[in-house]
Amino acid sequence: MKEIIVIIGGGIAGLEAASNLLKLGYSPIIIEKSDHLGGHVANWHKLFPDLTPAKDLVDELIASSKDANIFLNTEVSFINRLKDSYNIMLSNGISIITKYILMTTGFRLFEASKKEEYGYGIYNQVITNSDLEHWFNTGQDKRIDESPMNAIGFVHCVGSRDEKARNSQCSKVCCITAIKQAIELKEKFPDAQIYCFYMDLRLFGKKFEDFYTKAQRDHGIHFIRGRVSEVGENIEGKVIVKAEDTLAGKPIKVTLDLLVLMSGMVCNPDSSKTASMMALPIDSDGFLKSSDNVFHITASPKKGIFYAGACTGPKTVPETLAEARSAVLDIHSHITSQEK
Amino acid sequence: MREIYLSGFNTFVLPFMFGMLFVLGWCLIGAVRIIFQLTPDDRKKFFLSFLNPKIMLKNIRDWFCDCLFHVKLWKRNKLLGYMHSSIAFGWFMLIVIGHIEVFLYTPQRVHQIWYPIFFRYFVAVTDSTMKGSFFFFLMDFFLLVVLSGIVLAIIKRARSRIFGMRRTTRASLTDLIGLYSLWAIFPLRLLAEGFTADISGGSFLTKSLNLVLHSFLSDQMNMLPTWWAYSIALCIFMCILPFSRYMHIPAEILLIPMRNAGIPVRHARKGISRLQVYSCPSCGVCIDACPMGVVKANSKDATVYLNRQIKRSNERRIEEISDKCLLCGKCTAVCPVGVEGDRIRIAQRSIRPYNLTPDYSNIDENSAILAVNNFVSTENNVVSNTNNERVLYFAGCMTALTPGIRKSMESVLRKAGVSYEMMDKDGGICCGRPMLMAGRKAPAKEMIRKNTNIIKASGATTLLLSCPICLKVFKEEYELEGIEIIHHSEYMDRLIAEGRLHVESSDVRYAYHDPCELGRGCGIYEQPRRVVAAAGQLVEGAKSGKESICCGGSLGSLSLGFEQRKLMTENAINNLTADNPDAIVTACPLCKTTFGRYADRPVVDIVEVIDSKTGN
Amino acid sequence: MIYQGKQKIWSDYQKEIPDDHWYYVRSCIRQNFFPASEKMFLEICRNVLGKDFHENEHHTTCGGIAYHCDTIPQETAMTIVARQFALMTEAGYENYVASCITSFGNYTEILETWHEFPELEAKIREMLWKSCRKEFNKPKYLAHSSDLIYKYRNEIAEKAKFHLINKETGEPLRVVEHIGCHYSKMFPSKGVGGAEYPYVLTGMVEAWGGNVIDYPERRHCCGYGFRQYHVKANRGYSLSNTHKKFESMEPYKPDMIITNCPGCPYFLDRWQYVIAEMEGKTYGENGCGIPVLTYEEVAGLVLGYDPWDLGLQLHQVAVEPLLDKIGIEYNLEDKYKGIDKKDLLKPELPTSIKCF
Amino acid sequence: MNGFGFRLSPSSAINLDKVDRSRFEELCSIEPDALRCMSCGSCSATCPAAQFSGMSIRKVLLNLQRGKEEEAFRLMSNCMLCGKCTMVCPRGINTRRIVLTISRIYEKEEKR
């Protein structure tokens, strides 16, 4: 009999895991609370650093996992621990008994409006990274004026590395995303000056540094080291941004036509909720706690429960996919060792 | 002997006369202008040099060796040397012998300057006498020599590699006109004299041609058009001469005494530098010599093109070429006429306005003076310090980035029991050479003044340098009477020779790289080689010594970027590793850093080699 | 600007303010600057609205100015404050309302510090006992007096004789609200509306018919900055900050400025004269300045009190254009007359800024 | 009139709206690498003039980008053009050329 594996979360980690489990002959079940698969990536336009269309990735993942059982618009109502398996009750009334659960519950974008000083939801020209991707995809956002812009700003680390926002860790992908989006906007509005306000630039990944120097040299994007302190609005409805240019040691201000807030990744509250049903521990950063952060990042301390992707901390797309495959392999070796 | 035409004139001489007078006038005015552009001191020096028999003798030798025999080209490539000297010397002899003939046969025609040129047309000489046949033979012989040179020149246009040149100069339009008219002159002369040979006489070449011509062209009327063609070819050549590379012929005549008088390049467009520009024969030797040439696009930045652009006053290109140059000095070293490409470029850089007002008033040399004022003998005084030598060691800015060199130098000094003091222990003042390379004399002078104060206050007898860039400026621009200025390679050579340093030889094969500023810049080639040979097996690069290839890291270039230099460095490394040495040895911190970036084997400074090969 | 966005934030930062029975403490400096304001506060609360507000002549400074000027240590300031609380306790009150923003900030800071470090509170109790033989209860509710006017804003609006509406055009007046820095910047949750978009004055202005302007330097300090003003050498810096605010609000053509801090109205008012003298620049219409009023004065005007009884003649910037806009009648003859029509003597009027 | 004994103090803030970038852009058209500076400070750390004057090529570039040309010039007046900064720059920026190019661009400006 095919082993049933329940995957909680239909984002890219869940899909990639399902597709690999199918290849190994298992029968994965994906539980997704929203009405679509692909999670955050499905709403993204292009992926750094090669500007791969996000849609291509998600479509491919969906195609390769189409044989899995997929429940959309479904949440986990509760989970009971049986002797050596789990009974999962879903919001649609179905219950599943499984030995293996893979948590791919992902992350949630930090609510930019919590950083009140940046005026998200207050000033018309302030949007988030996610809003911008949405605009890239659909071309529809009342806040973005299609007429030529003079100046556009990006605020890095919105809700990341911010103890006051109760999120002290780095969200890892925002620096490179900001650079990607800055280049994309510069290509749409070649005459606009683009400013990136950063605290540190953390460009750790493959080709990220190239992307950064390209942004500087070929696109003339200005990088200003300093955290934006406050955002105001002038009489023309443009946003005025104040920061310190820490490299110059001087306060700096600039009037912008558009301000993009790089909302960071925080733990998905649904993820914590589901975790609490299984008494899974939460790490100090608010994300799910792996049994070991070096050696067993995909393993939970509970038997039969595995993690993949951003539920354990901010991750890039390739890291998430790799982790999903890794988790599948973990599950597979666990099952085969049980059979022996 | 008889004169064929009593008037001694024919209208066909008019084109020649026009060209001749034009070119003479042009050169005369040019020479006067150039002499007046010299500073009064230089002018005086120039005129006085003619009274100095030693210089005069040198002038005469150079006129013959450089202008006529092209000795430098012979040294480079026999075929190339023959090609140039055959045309120059052959033509010169044709003119000289032509004049001798006029003197001998028609002394009354001496004032008619066309007479020696068209002698065969106007005078018939019997070739049966010894005298007659001798001159006929000589004239035909030298014509043959010239013609052989022309044939080689035509071959060179198509296949320059035979002449040892990878790349040749791309000719300009005026150069081409000059070239074709030059090529035309001698065959036309042969044709004209061939037609006339049965009347005026001739020798093996002209007589034979005459017979051939008469076999199918019996009409005497063909004679006059050929003489016209010959005269017109001469006229075209002389008229185009000032605007083409052939200007080098008259220009070099003036350049030689001026150079021998020791007149320096002071202004990029005036005086001797203008003369040098006009003396450039566009031979293109500098194109292959240029280390930047490894990138094909840079071929256009060789000195020959700088000269051409200066003649054309193409300011944009002049600046571009001047700024790009690494100032390795190789083009100057190989130039057969002595165009100082590097100095002209520096002078050109100095013309340009520098909007920054350098201000070094906040540089405090007094603390540096205090720091160097306490000479201490090293503990290891095995070899007694006989001559009371006090060495002040100036490591230099670049050595600060290669601390291994400084450390080894101090170690060697201690081992040799030298009493020394560091001049820039806590960072020094730049020697001024990079500023001079950028063409900025005044701020460089300020740095020189401050460093001079420190050195003089130290009470040193010897100034020891690790960086050849510093060495050159200390030697050329500093006034440090009584203080010996020495590079560490020379100094170690001396320590070894004096037995103060005992080097253990090994069989490590070292390829020695001549740093531009040490070799071509200061003429130090042998001392470092002796030092390296003391420590291991000395291996030469494919090109070395005067023709060594710049590492590409030179501070001389103002515009070459990091990436653009990569190929030059790799090329220089390939040159050094032609004989597969174990390590590359250099004597310049900048070369070391630059090579170290791309080399596939260890790159060490000469002092590091010696330090590792000397015991206590 | 998205108004709904602000409303959402305002709804997040609401604070519990009891309706009645308050122990009131005055500011050190307000009575000198705008003497009718505190009187009007008690007048409105006690007589117009019939609330119980108690004050005690033995209360002193809270020590805030000295504390912010770094001339006394925090423990001294805490002991002074403890004595004030003791007076409140003795009077039988548990709701404490301060007239001064810096006092309010000071009290908030001290209460929060005691909350975090109870041992410090114990020490202060001991010091208070040693010095004055007094004991205290911490106030159950702490408010700034503007919080109360904010709370009563709708009752005041119901009784209003005038509204912040231009009588001629029928348009709402354009009002700049300026919140004292120590109100909520230190503890956003202790102020009505938080720190970024405080609602306390906006609520009053909206309730009384005006329109609040959101200009870029809205958050900026009035320029007082304690040490910046008190040290004469720094006074130019103080002035520059005020100047910056005026330059920023100028394009919006504000009709008035409403403030809730002792220092702010004073500096926003007086520096307008200094800027006019130095730069020859005035920010109001026809060579006048922008009238700067305290919230009590505005409440008094709305309720129909005589401008001169509200002490508006003590403002440097002439308030008459504002009164004209609202349609409040006044007698210019009586401007410099005090109680019982006693002649206060008309001051020499500046020429750089238009005054009456 | 100013009988107060104090006056308005100028703002130290950089207003990017008012920065004239034309000359800096001209510089970048000649030496685009000027934009690649990441303010690591290697150049200033190695600069022989820095210990005497605070000269820093990264600050020069920053000042030019922020419209503080006079400050940039004040710093550059200490430059000895030794080229050490060019050697240590991890991004291979031709700093020496930048100094020389700046001197030309601004010269032109004066002539205009």
Side-chain angles (χ1 to χ4, degrees), chain A residues 71 88-96:
Chain A
F71 296 108
I88 303 172
M89 189 66 179
L90 301 181
S91 58
N92 57 9
I94 294 170
S95 88
I96 308 165

PDB file of all heavy atoms in Angstrom, chain A residues 71 88-96:
ATOM      1  N   PHE A  71      -6.211  19.627  -1.593  1.00  0.00           N
ATOM      2  CA  PHE A  71      -7.392  20.294  -1.037  1.00  0.00           C
ATOM      3  C   PHE A  71      -7.121  21.785  -0.959  1.00  0.00           C
ATOM      4  O   PHE A  71      -6.298  22.222  -0.162  1.00  0.00           O
ATOM      5  CB  PHE A  71      -7.702  19.767   0.374  1.00  0.00           C
ATOM      6  CG  PHE A  71      -8.064  18.319   0.411  1.00  0.00           C
ATOM      7  CD1 PHE A  71      -7.186  17.381   0.929  1.00  0.00           C
ATOM      8  CD2 PHE A  71      -9.298  17.890  -0.076  1.00  0.00           C
ATOM      9  CE1 PHE A  71      -7.520  16.034   0.964  1.00  0.00           C
ATOM     10  CE2 PHE A  71      -9.634  16.546  -0.036  1.00  0.00           C
ATOM     11  CZ  PHE A  71      -8.744  15.610   0.477  1.00  0.00           C
ATOM     12  N   ILE A  88      -5.652  13.739  11.217  1.00  0.00           N
ATOM     13  CA  ILE A  88      -5.784  15.153  10.868  1.00  0.00           C
ATOM     14  C   ILE A  88      -7.211  15.434  10.452  1.00  0.00           C
ATOM     15  O   ILE A  88      -7.753  14.782   9.543  1.00  0.00           O
ATOM     16  CB  ILE A  88      -4.822  15.524   9.714  1.00  0.00           C
ATOM     17  CG1 ILE A  88      -3.387  15.191  10.126  1.00  0.00           C
ATOM     18  CG2 ILE A  88      -4.956  16.999   9.344  1.00  0.00           C
ATOM     19  CD1 ILE A  88      -2.399  15.338   9.014  1.00  0.00           C
ATOM     20  N   MET A  89      -7.823  16.378  11.121  1.00  0.00           N
ATOM     21  CA  MET A  89      -9.204  16.754  10.784  1.00  0.00           C
ATOM     22  C   MET A  89      -9.135  18.047   9.989  1.00  0.00           C
ATOM     23  O   MET A  89      -8.542  19.030  10.424  1.00  0.00           O
ATOM     24  CB  MET A  89      -9.985  16.971  12.086  1.00  0.00           C
ATOM     25  CG  MET A  89     -11.460  17.145  11.849  1.00  0.00           C
ATOM     26  SD  MET A  89     -12.163  15.606  11.193  1.00  0.00           S
ATOM     27  CE  MET A  89     -13.852  16.088  11.032  1.00  0.00           C
ATOM     28  N   LEU A  90      -9.734  18.030   8.807  1.00  0.00           N
ATOM     29  CA  LEU A  90      -9.685  19.217   7.959  1.00  0.00           C
ATOM     30  C   LEU A  90     -10.960  20.026   8.092  1.00  0.00           C
ATOM     31  O   LEU A  90     -12.007  19.516   8.505  1.00  0.00           O
ATOM     32  CB  LEU A  90      -9.486  18.799   6.492  1.00  0.00           C
ATOM     33  CG  LEU A  90      -8.222  17.999   6.205  1.00  0.00           C
ATOM     34  CD1 LEU A  90      -8.134  17.675   4.722  1.00  0.00           C
ATOM     35  CD2 LEU A  90      -6.982  18.737   6.675  1.00  0.00           C
ATOM     36  N   SER A  91     -10.878  21.292   7.670  1.00  0.00           N
ATOM     37  CA  SER A  91     -12.037  22.178   7.808  1.00  0.00           C
ATOM     38  C   SER A  91     -13.168  21.754   6.881  1.00  0.00           C
ATOM     39  O   SER A  91     -14.316  22.132   7.093  1.00  0.00           O
ATOM     40  CB  SER A  91     -11.615  23.619   7.502  1.00  0.00           C
ATOM     41  OG  SER A  91     -11.081  23.687   6.200  1.00  0.00           O
ATOM     42  N   ASN A  92     -12.864  20.939   5.838  1.00  0.00           N
ATOM     43  CA  ASN A  92     -13.936  20.501   4.948  1.00  0.00           C
ATOM     44  C   ASN A  92     -14.576  19.200   5.426  1.00  0.00           C
ATOM     45  O   ASN A  92     -15.329  18.567   4.705  1.00  0.00           O
ATOM     46  CB  ASN A  92     -13.406  20.356   3.512  1.00  0.00           C
ATOM     47  CG  ASN A  92     -12.234  19.392   3.441  1.00  0.00           C
ATOM     48  OD1 ASN A  92     -11.920  18.696   4.422  1.00  0.00           O
ATOM     49  ND2 ASN A  92     -11.597  19.351   2.295  1.00  0.00           N
ATOM     50  N   GLY A  93     -14.201  18.795   6.639  1.00  0.00           N
ATOM     51  CA  GLY A  93     -14.860  17.639   7.236  1.00  0.00           C
ATOM     52  C   GLY A  93     -14.142  16.328   6.993  1.00  0.00           C
ATOM     53  O   GLY A  93     -14.490  15.310   7.567  1.00  0.00           O
ATOM     54  N   ILE A  94     -13.147  16.350   6.144  1.00  0.00           N
ATOM     55  CA  ILE A  94     -12.417  15.115   5.854  1.00  0.00           C
ATOM     56  C   ILE A  94     -11.394  14.873   6.953  1.00  0.00           C
ATOM     57  O   ILE A  94     -10.791  15.827   7.461  1.00  0.00           O
ATOM     58  CB  ILE A  94     -11.717  15.224   4.485  1.00  0.00           C
ATOM     59  CG1 ILE A  94     -12.773  15.317   3.383  1.00  0.00           C
ATOM     60  CG2 ILE A  94     -10.776  14.052   4.240  1.00  0.00           C
ATOM     61  CD1 ILE A  94     -12.241  15.662   2.026  1.00  0.00           C
ATOM     62  N   SER A  95     -11.204  13.612   7.300  1.00  0.00           N
ATOM     63  CA  SER A  95     -10.118  13.342   8.242  1.00  0.00           C
ATOM     64  C   SER A  95      -9.146  12.357   7.612  1.00  0.00           C
ATOM     65  O   SER A  95      -9.535  11.489   6.825  1.00  0.00           O
ATOM     66  CB  SER A  95     -10.675  12.841   9.583  1.00  0.00           C
ATOM     67  OG  SER A  95     -10.817  11.453   9.549  1.00  0.00           O
ATOM     68  N   ILE A  96      -7.886  12.548   7.911  1.00  0.00           N
ATOM     69  CA  ILE A  96      -6.845  11.731   7.289  1.00  0.00           C
ATOM     70  C   ILE A  96      -6.009  11.127   8.413  1.00  0.00           C
ATOM     71  O   ILE A  96      -5.660  11.824   9.373  1.00  0.00           O
ATOM     72  CB  ILE A  96      -5.926  12.584   6.399  1.00  0.00           C
ATOM     73  CG1 ILE A  96      -6.751  13.413   5.413  1.00  0.00           C
ATOM     74  CG2 ILE A  96      -4.906  11.728   5.661  1.00  0.00           C
ATOM     75  CD1 ILE A  96      -5.971  14.538   4.764  1.00  0.00           C
TER      76      ILE A  96
END
